[in-house]
Amino acid sequence: MIEQEIITEEQKLAARYAKAMGHPIRMYILELLTKQACCYSGDLSEILPIAKSTLSQHLKELKDAGLIQGKIEAPKIKYCINRENWKKAKQLFKSHFNI
């Protein structure tokens, strides 16, 4: 019960974003997507030296956290930063760490 009293929704959301960002490959993907409008999953698999299934899992984590969004354009999936949630994540980290 104590956790419910002291943990805010903002803290939970910041932790969710931080967990999704908790792998260097995911950080690379986020950095890449913040520098360009969008990227296709096939292009990412050519850039990153990891199995397609591993890449899919990383993209799923980022998408589930709401940091990226995907749109199916058969036979590929086009991924972009979720600009609204990315802005929210930056604001949460700034406010929690006074930076």
Side-chain angles (χ1 to χ4, degrees), residues 42-95:
D43 296 338
L44 287 169
S45 65
E46 290 177 15
I47 296 169
L48 294 166
I50 58 175
K52 287 182 181 183
S53 60
T54 303
L55 174 59
S56 292
Q57 186 59 38
H58 287 304
L59 291 167
K60 181 182 182 324
E61 286 293 324
L62 291 169
K63 189 175 177 190
D64 288 350
L67 293 172
I68 65 171
Q69 50 198 17
K71 179 180 178 186
I72 297 173
E73 292 184 1
K76 298 180 180 180
I77 301 174
K78 181 176 162 182
Y79 287 98
C80 305
I81 286 287
N82 182 321
R83 301 243 178 245
E84 183 179 325
N85 287 349
W86 187 243
K87 182 179 177 182
K88 188 184 301 181
K90 289 192 296 186
Q91 290 171 339
L92 282 169
F93 291 132
K94 273 183 152 179
S95 68

